[in-house]
Amino acid sequence: MMHEDGSQTSLTTGDEKCLTRRQMLKSFGAGAVAATIGASVPRAFASVGSLSTAHDDHASPIPEGWANQSVTPRAAAFNLTDVRLLEGPFRQAQERDGRYLLQLEPDRLLHNFRVNAGLTPKAPVYGGWESVQPWVDIRCHGHTLGHYLSACSLMFAATGDQRLRDAYLHTNNRMALDVLVKLSDWAIATTQKLSDAQFQRMLDTEHGGMNEVLADVYALTRESRFLALAEHFCHRALLDPLAQKRDTLDGLHSNTQIPKVIGFNRLYELTGQEDYRAASRFFWRTIVDNRTFATGGNADREHFFPPADFLQHLGSAKTMETCCTYNMLKLTRMLFALDPSATYADYYERALYNSILASQDPDSGMMTYFQPTRPGYLKLYCTPTDSFWCCTGSGMENHAKYGDSIYFHAANALYVNLFIPSTLAWREKGLTITQTTRFPEQDRTRLQLTTQKPVNLTVNVRHPSWCQAVTITVNGRRWAKSRQPGKYVAVNRVWHTGDIVEVHLPMTLRTEPLPGNANVVAILYGPIVLAGRLGRKGITPGADIIVNERTYGDVLNDEVDVPVLIGDSHEIVRKIKPSPESALMFDTTGIGHPRDVSLMPYYRVVHERYNLYWKLIKPGDVDRKLSRS
Ligand SMILES: [Zn+2]
């Protein structure tokens, strides 16, 4: 099984030879469509899915036919068109991403498609995965277009910016659905001669979210042949153990498995079949509880490793591929809709700040591939036109869709999951909510309501797991004080224009151990992972913008001293003090060895070396170390 990093793993046993991605594509007949296999197949379909949101401001949130699923979600996201970000780091990231999307030339992205269709390309091909080996050989070139179309559609929905309009016109029409159906019929025709064993062998290879995509086609068309193929695309070697609550993920390629599980969950929604539900829920729990770093990212060199081995992977510069977090967030919000638990929203918040917001260079707008846990290393970013990694493509989407999970709704309830400055227009209720906050720089948020007529509604405010007690006031009078982290505080009343809900979420410092290693800890403030600032040694301007993601860890390897911290977790936390420099900046005082260190949110770290996990040592160990030297 060949992966994007050139490594191989197999889910099959015995000496059965796996089909490589290349062989699989050949067996599919390759051609123009082949270029979309991989992460971007779902993107082509996702564009169609997102169309209903982009179609017009009053469109139903659910495409026609989409609602006829077996399992009714208990909560639903709002259309991106209903949520607008207000000034803050997320909106700034969205604007940077928008500028990047506008710089890209569709004719250059279409180059490979025109060539494959026997047409004369209208512009030269882009670099990186769009045109160089081994990406051409494995038919990955062209993968960016799907992400680009999705990102443009999302950006249009999220901002209303008409310059995004071309992509919207290209995708939001009946033709897109016709193409989708024909593409799916082609997939049926080209796989029908495969035996079950051959089909399952093919699924060893990274194939994006084919089961999810085909399930979506079934949801849109209600044609049972697409459901049958979607189920055929379920990899039994993954589904069966997960459904039996067995973790067999060691050694598997992370970003191959997460999309398969998203597909399992989609099939549960459509069929109600319990094994799909059990598998997706168990997978999520396993990843989040046992296989995730403090930032919400997972894996090393793109592969899951035994949870007992975290320490030996900490030194890697190839931990936490950004796409994996992108896909975990996608799975998380699907699971939340089925079961609106604050546990899902807690993970979403953590990964959104510490992985996704952290993945963009605020100066260039470019994106990370890995987010290295290697002490003293740095974030490296793609180039605008010569990289086009998978994480460039998913990165285009990440920053366009921040508005999609701040609020959810149920029949007569609103969920406020994230504390991000934004406005929400809930048209069915005639209700507008403006959330004003400087969170996490400030530990409070404010919701102001405008209603066309009085509305009886429960507003569920998330009480995050990192906060001991949340206080809520309504129009200046205390409504509730919650001491139940990881739950919702329900505020039920008849709402009128001008009503104001204020939420106070005190944030504190704490440590979190590296899984399985009590003496190696990350430092967090509320949901925010703090990184130690270790200087800019060897980093010249632009040196952290790289073409080839495989060079992570091979470049900019200047030796950097990484302090250890003296004391236990309680003592450490007591001796970290807020810095007068700015909000969310801290300094260790008298506990760093051989020196103290400044801490800042990982999401703000840029063009500088950092450390995420700290080794804790006892005071006596330092004395012994000093007397030996
Ligand atoms: Zn990626």
Side-chain angles (χ1 to χ4, degrees), residues 4 255 321 323 369 390-391 394:
E4 288 148 12
N255 207 32
E321 181 190 348
C323 280
Y369 192 103
C390 49
C391 296
S394 60

Side-chain angles (χ1 to χ4, degrees), residues 3-207:
H3 298 301
E4 288 148 12
D5 65 347
S7 63
Q8 299 201 0
T9 54
S10 172
L11 280 168
T12 55
T13 52
D15 56 7
E16 270 189 331
K17 205 161 172 263
C18 298
L19 291 172
T20 62
R21 170 153 43 190
R22 183 180 179 181
Q23 287 166 323
M24 180 180 90
L25 291 170
K26 275 191 174 161
S27 78
F28 265 28
V33 175
T36 67
I37 295 283
S40 59
V41 167
R43 303 280 64 78
F45 290 76
S47 303
V48 176
S50 63
L51 301 188
S52 58
T53 65
H55 184 63
D56 73 56
D57 281 357
H58 304 285
S60 158
I62 300 171
E64 203 183 329
W66 204 270
N68 302 328
Q69 46 189 52
S70 282
V71 180
T72 307
R74 289 169 55 203
F78 286 92
N79 289 345
L80 263 180
T81 50
D82 294 335
V83 181
R84 290 283 180 268
L85 299 184
L86 301 175
E87 180 53 27
F90 290 99
R91 177 144 131 196
Q92 289 163 10
Q94 187 181 67
E95 287 171 349
R96 277 179 216 115
D97 190 36
R99 287 195 288 275
Y100 176 49
L101 292 173
L102 286 172
Q103 277 171 29
L104 293 174
E105 297 172 42
D107 281 332
R108 294 192 69 181
L109 290 168
L110 281 164
H111 177 101
N112 288 314
F113 291 83
R114 291 205 165 102
V115 169
N116 287 339
L119 302 170
T120 307
K122 293 184 180 175
V125 70
Y126 276 126
W129 289 22
E130 287 295 304
S131 59
V132 302
Q133 294 294 4
W135 311 106
V136 172
D137 212 26
I138 62 172
R139 306 288 197 269
C140 196
H141 57 318
H143 82 107
T144 310
L145 184 69
H147 289 293
Y148 171 77
L149 287 174
S150 289
C152 288
S153 303
L154 292 165
M155 191 66 82
F156 172 72
T159 65
D161 187 334
Q162 294 288 322
R163 294 174 295 174
L164 299 163
R165 191 175 148 85
D166 279 355
Y168 156 65
L169 289 175
H170 282 311
T171 53
N172 185 24
N173 55 35
R174 201 72 205 171
M175 207 198 309
L177 184 60
D178 291 344
V179 170
L180 183 64
V181 167
K182 283 180 180 152
L183 191 59
S184 306
D185 274 325
W186 167 84
I188 290 173
T190 37
T191 57
Q192 67 186 358
K193 286 188 181 152
L194 294 177
S195 69
D196 277 354
Q198 286 173 320
F199 207 108
Q200 288 296 314
R201 247 164 54 211
M202 177 177 76
L203 300 182
D204 270 351
T205 301
E206 187 168 7
H207 55 275

